[in-house]
């Protein structure tokens, strides 16, 4: 049992994956975002190129757009994840087919009305993508709490649990308001960060209100976590990273939209690698090198698609899955593959929403076992 001394941090045995992996998940995305900020400050003429490269890296190399296929790799290796609840396989299949239909629709809207296509893609993927990313944050936050509890640290206070429940709806509202409805700067004709024809809806001064709410939330959160007793150092570091990433989106969306998706992809890499590991009683046992090879092989088609878009894109692209938008060429085969990629992303959102329903006892038992938290 660890002594419960308020205001102190404990680290030994409390890392979620490992000390190196946990720290890299936080530092690599931040370093990439700060690199763009430094490039913009030191060489304004090269800022656009640095931003495009960083967005592409966050989406493809660090995994925000390429990791989506790993959900289905997990189903193929460990079928108990897919069958943890009655009817879940049918639900996943129906959702995947529905998302394929949506991808087909996106293919045709590109040629029928490109403005409508851009609007639909920007709104659809930024709303669902942000919700998916923030929900993953809350899930890892809970896993940090579970790890701390197993080590004998005090559990989350009632106030922390309430703040945790509010995280997704509150941050989703703040971030969507910022990128869609607040002008990017105070300049008279400045558009929103994601301009889909909505015009100037809110004055730039509304950003101060959003920041005040964001600051109030995280001040209350850290006070709650640190006052409850000896806190998990890795959990506190993770919450600092969440505050930094969401704060960057509010203050400077160009930087925040590099850090936020890069964190999400790296987290998913680590989660999938952990869940692909064999557990006691498994008949299918994969070595760690084979797990890594399977993950890379499964993501190669989406990575290749990202490479093609990176070569064809000659203008800055923004938002969730930005590396797949803004291409100046519209070859039908490329559009078909891109629309199929969009369908895989949406199917991944749908499948993850089903398999991580920890409130269902059978799903909770299977997923915690796969994550190494159960028998």
């Amino acid at each position: 049992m660890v002594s419960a001394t308020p205001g102190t941090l404990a680290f030994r045995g409390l890392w979620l994956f490992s000390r190196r992996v946990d720290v890299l998940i936080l530092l690599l995305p931040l370093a990439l975002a700060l690199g763009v900020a430094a490039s913009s400050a030191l060489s304004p003429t090269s800022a656009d190129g640095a931003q495009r490269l960083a967005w592409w890296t966050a989406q493809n190399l660090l995994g925000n757009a390429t990791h989506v296929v790993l959900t289905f790799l997990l189903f193929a290796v460990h079928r108990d994840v897919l069958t943890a609840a009655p009817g879940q396989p049918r639900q996943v299949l129906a959702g995947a087919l529905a998302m394929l239909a949506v991808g087909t629709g996106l293919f045709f809207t590109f040629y029928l009305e490109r403005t409508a296509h851009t609007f639909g893609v920007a709104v659809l993927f930024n709303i669902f993508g942000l919700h998916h990313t923030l929900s993953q944050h809350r899930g890892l936050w809970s896993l940090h709490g579970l790890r701390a509890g197993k080590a004998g640290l005090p559990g989350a206070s009632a106030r922390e649990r309430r703040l945790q429940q509010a995280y997704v709806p509150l941050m989703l509202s703040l971030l969507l308001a910022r990128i869609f409805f607040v002008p990017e700067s105070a300049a008279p004709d400045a558009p929103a960060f994601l301009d889909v024809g909505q015009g100037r809806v809110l004055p730039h001064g509304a950003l101060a209100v959003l920041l005040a709410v964001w600051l109030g939330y995280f001040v209350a959160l850290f006070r709650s976590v640190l006052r409850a007793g000896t806190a998990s150092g890795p959990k506190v570091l993770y919450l600092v990273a969440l505050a930094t990433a969401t704060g960057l989106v509010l203050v400077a969306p160009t930087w925040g939209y590099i850090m936020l998706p890069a964190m999400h992809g790296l987290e998913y890499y680590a989660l999938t690698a952990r869940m692909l590991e064999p557990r006691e009683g498994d008949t299918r046992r994969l070595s760690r090198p084979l797990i890594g090879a399977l993950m890379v092989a499964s993501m190669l088609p989406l990575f290749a698609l990202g490479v093609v878009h990176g070569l064809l894109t000659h203008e800055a692209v923004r938002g969730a899955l930005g590396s797949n938008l803004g291409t100046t060429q519209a070859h039908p085969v490329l559009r078909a593959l891109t629309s199929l990629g969009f369908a895989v992303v949406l199917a991944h959102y749908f499948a993850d929403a089903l398999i991580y329903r920890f409130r269902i006892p059978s799903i909770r038992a299977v997923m915690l076992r796969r994550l190494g938290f159960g028998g």
Side-chain angles (χ1 to χ4, degrees):
M1 177 70 71
V2 179
S3 61
T5 306
T8 60
L9 302 179
F11 288 88
R12 184 180 297 274
L14 294 170
W15 299 101
L16 193 56
F17 302 107
S18 70
R19 180 173 59 183
R20 181 177 64 179
V21 172
D22 284 24
V23 170
L24 285 177
I25 285 174
L26 308 183
L27 291 186
L28 278 179
L30 179 59
L32 186 61
L34 293 180
V36 172
S39 175
S40 301
L42 298 175
S43 180
T45 57
S46 65
D48 285 347
Q51 290 167 15
R52 285 196 299 271
L53 179 60
W55 278 321
W56 181 89
T57 302
Q59 299 293 349
N60 290 279
L61 192 59
L62 298 185
N64 186 52
T66 48
H67 79 269
V68 296
V69 73
L70 296 179
T71 298
F72 306 100
L73 174 63
L74 182 61
F75 292 160
V77 175
H78 295 307
R79 290 186 57 81
D80 58 338
V81 175
L82 179 62
T83 60
Q88 186 165 274
R90 293 193 299 273
Q91 294 169 355
V92 170
L93 177 61
L97 292 175
M99 294 309 103
L100 183 61
V102 171
T104 303
L106 291 175
F107 172 79
F108 285 108
T109 60
F110 179 84
Y111 293 103
L112 294 174
E113 175 53 58
R114 295 193 185 188
T115 300
H117 173 88
T118 301
F119 178 86
V121 169
V123 172
L124 184 69
F125 283 96
N126 279 280
I127 292 177
F128 282 93
L130 271 174
H131 185 275
H132 176 72
T133 297
L134 296 170
S135 296
Q136 183 171 295
H137 289 171
R138 187 178 63 187
L140 266 69
W141 180 353
S142 295
L143 291 178
H144 274 292
L146 186 59
R147 176 75 76 202
K150 286 183 174 292
L153 291 179
S157 65
R159 184 174 179 82
E160 181 186 345
R161 290 195 295 270
R162 289 195 299 270
L163 290 168
Q164 188 177 34
Q165 288 298 315
Y167 177 78
V168 174
L170 178 61
M171 291 299 138
L172 183 66
S173 300
L174 293 179
L175 300 188
L176 289 177
R178 173 62 171 114
I179 63 176
F180 278 118
F181 302 121
V182 176
E184 194 168 7
S185 71
D189 298 323
F193 175 74
L194 286 173
D195 185 4
V196 291
Q198 72 273 38
R200 286 175 60 96
V201 180
L202 295 173
H204 185 67
L207 177 58
V209 177
L210 302 181
L211 286 171
V213 175
W214 168 87
L215 180 62
Y217 173 85
F218 279 105
V219 167
L221 175 59
F222 285 112
R223 284 169 61 91
S224 173
V225 170
L226 295 175
R227 284 184 171 183
T230 299
S232 164
K235 182 175 87 167
V236 171
L237 286 178
Y238 186 67
L239 295 179
V240 169
L242 299 190
T244 303
T246 53
L248 275 178
V249 174
L250 291 175
V251 174
T254 296
W255 306 346
Y257 251 113
I258 294 167
M259 182 177 181
L260 198 65
M263 273 187 64
H264 175 68
L266 289 174
E267 289 169 359
Y268 209 87
Y269 283 167
L271 282 169
T272 303
R274 172 66 61 82
M275 295 179 71
L276 286 173
E277 293 177 0
R279 302 296 172 199
E280 185 177 353
D282 286 347
T283 57
R284 180 174 296 180
R285 308 184 71 84
L286 302 178
S287 63
R288 287 191 175 182
L290 183 55
I291 288 172
L294 284 174
M295 289 173 61
V296 171
S298 66
M299 293 187 292
L300 278 179
L302 288 173
F303 180 78
L305 182 62
V307 170
V308 172
H309 273 279
L311 293 173
L312 295 180
T313 298
H314 302 296
E315 58 189 32
V317 288
R318 301 175 172 192
L321 301 173
S323 58
N324 285 329
L325 301 176
T327 183
T328 56
Q329 301 187 27
H331 193 281
V333 174
L334 178 60
R335 295 312 311 175
L337 292 174
T338 301
S339 298
L340 179 60
F342 284 155
V344 173
V345 173
L346 290 171
H348 155 77
Y349 292 164
F350 186 88
D352 269 13
L354 293 173
I355 67 175
Y356 286 101
R357 294 174 295 174
F358 277 30
R359 66 184 182 278
I360 299 177
S362 61
I363 291 179
R364 179 181 177 86
V366 168
M367 298 303 279
L368 288 182
R369 176 173 175 265
R370 286 288 161 215
L371 287 164
F373 284 93

